[in-house]
Amino acid sequence: MQISLIITAKLKCCIYAMPLLLMVFISYYSHAIEVENQAATNNLKTLQISAGEWPPFLSESLPYKGVIAHLITDVFAQANIEVSFTFLPWPRAYHDTLNNKYAATAVWMFEKDRARHYLYSEAVLNERFVFFYQKQRQFSWYKLSDLKGLLLGGGLGYSYGKKFDKAIEEGLFEISRVSTTEQNFQRLVMGRIDAFAEEQNVGYHTLNTKLPELIDAISHHPKPVLVNQSFLLFPKNNPNSEKLLVIFNQELVKFKQTGRYQAYFDALESGAYKSLISVEVE
C-alpha cells in the first residue's frame, strides 16, 4: 500500500510539474528567438539602398528624398535601422544591387524575371495612371473602345497594361512615345496628341515644378488607365536579405494598420514634397 501511495504521489508531482516545465521551456525558447532577432537587427544597423529618380516618389532633390524614400526610411527606423539612399540610373541601380553593392533597391513593379533574382517586399506604393488632356479640347473615356481613332502620348518602352497594349496592336488607336513627361505635356497643349497616360502624382508634380505655365490648361480624367503596385527589392544572393525582408514587412504592415502609411500620401497631396521644406509625418 505504501509503495502504491508513493508512486501515486510521484506521478501527481510529475503531472503538476509538467505544465510549469513546459512554460519555462516556451519562455526560454521565445526569449532565445527574441535575442536572435535582436542580434540580427543589431548587425544591420545601417543600410544602403539604391534608387532611381522618380519625383515626387523618389528624388535626390526633394525633402527626405521623396515620399517613398521618407516612408522606407521611417519603416526601417522603427526597427532601429538607419537607411541612406544612393540615386543612380535605373538599370545601374538594379544591377549594382544584384551585385551586392546595396542592401535593396527602390521601387519596382513585379516582373517574373526580376523575381528570379530578388525578394519582393509588401507593396510600398499603389500607382494610379490616368489620362491627362487639354481642357479646351475635352476628353472622356470609360472603356478602351472610347479611344478609337485617337493619337495618344506615352513614355518610351512603357506598358500601360496588357489590354491597352493589345488595343494598340489591333490598331484601335495609335500611340506616339517620347522620353519625358514634360515633352508629353508640351505636345498636349500644342495639339499634337489627344491625351497621354501618366501616374497622377508624377504628372502634377511635373506640372508644378517644371511647367507651371501649363497648369491651368491641363486636367486629368478620373478613371485610371492602370493601377499598379511597386515594391522594395532585396537581392536573393545577399545572406541578410531574408532577415531584412521580414523586418521591413512587419513594420510596413504596422504602418498600414495604424493609418500612419496613409499620412505620407496625404502630405504628398498637400504639396509637402514639392520643395525643400520640412516634412513631419506622425
Side-chain angles (χ1 to χ4, degrees), residues 60-84:
E60 195 164 18
S61 64
L62 293 178
Y64 294 88
K65 312 301 182 184
V67 62
I68 292 301
H70 192 188
L71 171 64
I72 291 171
T73 299
D74 286 356
V75 168
F76 273 120
Q78 292 302 297
N80 298 314
I81 297 174
E82 184 179 341
V83 167
S84 63

Side-chain angles (χ1 to χ4, degrees), residues 22-282:
L22 183 60
M23 289 176 65
V24 170
F25 175 76
I26 291 172
S27 177
Y28 174 81
Y29 183 70
S30 299
H31 178 69
I33 292 175
E34 184 178 343
V35 169
E36 184 180 351
N37 288 340
Q38 185 62 47
T41 302
N42 289 340
N43 291 331
L44 300 168
K45 283 292 186 182
T46 59
L47 297 178
Q48 294 280 337
I49 295 178
S50 70
E53 284 283 336
W54 193 29
F57 299 125
L58 294 158
S59 179
E60 195 164 18
S61 64
L62 293 178
Y64 294 88
K65 312 301 182 184
V67 62
I68 292 301
H70 192 188
L71 171 64
I72 291 171
T73 299
D74 286 356
V75 168
F76 273 120
Q78 292 302 297
N80 298 314
I81 297 174
E82 184 179 341
V83 167
S84 63
F85 282 84
T86 298
F87 285 85
L88 302 165
W90 286 100
R92 184 178 165 193
Y94 185 92
H95 291 293
D96 281 4
T97 305
L98 194 58
N99 290 326
N100 283 321
K101 292 184 179 180
Y102 303 95
T105 183
V107 286
W108 301 80
M109 296 183 299
F110 179 82
E111 286 187 4
K112 287 183 180 180
D113 187 58
R114 291 173 188 160
R116 292 170 49 216
H117 305 292
Y118 281 97
L119 300 172
Y120 278 73
S121 72
E122 289 285 323
V124 177
L125 171 65
N126 292 310
E127 306 165 25
R128 191 171 185 273
F129 285 79
V130 295
F131 278 119
F132 285 89
Y133 65 93
Q134 186 180 168
K135 289 179 181 178
Q136 288 184 345
R137 301 187 67 177
Q138 294 302 315
F139 173 84
S140 183
W141 84 290
Y142 294 95
K143 53 187 184 296
L144 287 173
S145 59
D146 295 334
L147 305 174
K148 185 176 181 180
L150 297 183
L151 176 59
L152 304 176
L156 292 175
Y158 201 90
S159 170
Y160 300 98
K162 292 181 179 179
K163 291 183 179 179
F164 191 92
D165 293 343
K166 184 179 179 182
I168 296 172
E169 291 176 5
E170 294 176 348
L172 182 64
F173 50 80
E174 294 183 35
I175 188 165
S176 172
R177 300 179 182 272
V178 290
S179 59
T180 69
T181 301
E182 299 99 285
Q183 287 175 304
N184 271 321
F185 275 126
Q186 289 163 344
R187 295 197 303 163
L188 196 60
V189 296
M190 290 187 289
R192 294 182 180 175
I193 56 175
D194 296 301
F196 82 96
E198 178 58 274
E199 204 288 326
Q200 186 172 330
N201 288 296
V202 172
Y204 281 111
H205 180 83
T206 302
L207 282 173
N208 285 316
T209 58
K210 297 184 177 181
L211 300 166
E213 69 278 7
L214 302 184
I215 291 175
D216 293 337
I218 302 293
S219 187
H220 77 278
H221 193 279
K223 178 178 171 61
V225 182
L226 175 68
V227 177
N228 222 3
Q229 290 184 319
S230 287
F231 308 85
L232 184 62
L233 302 190
F234 298 87
K236 287 183 177 180
N237 58 7
N238 188 322
N240 293 322
S241 286
E242 289 189 7
K243 296 175 186 176
L244 289 171
L245 178 69
V246 171
I247 292 168
F248 181 77
N249 282 348
Q250 287 176 342
E251 298 301 333
L252 180 59
V253 167
K254 291 177 186 177
F255 272 49
K256 291 182 177 181
Q257 290 173 341
T258 61
R260 186 174 177 184
Y261 173 89
Q262 185 56 43
Y264 292 82
F265 298 96
D266 291 342
L268 173 63
E269 288 189 9
S270 71
Y273 293 93
K274 66 182 180 181
S275 60
L276 290 174
I277 58 176
S278 177
V279 182
E280 297 296 333
V281 179
E282 298 296 336

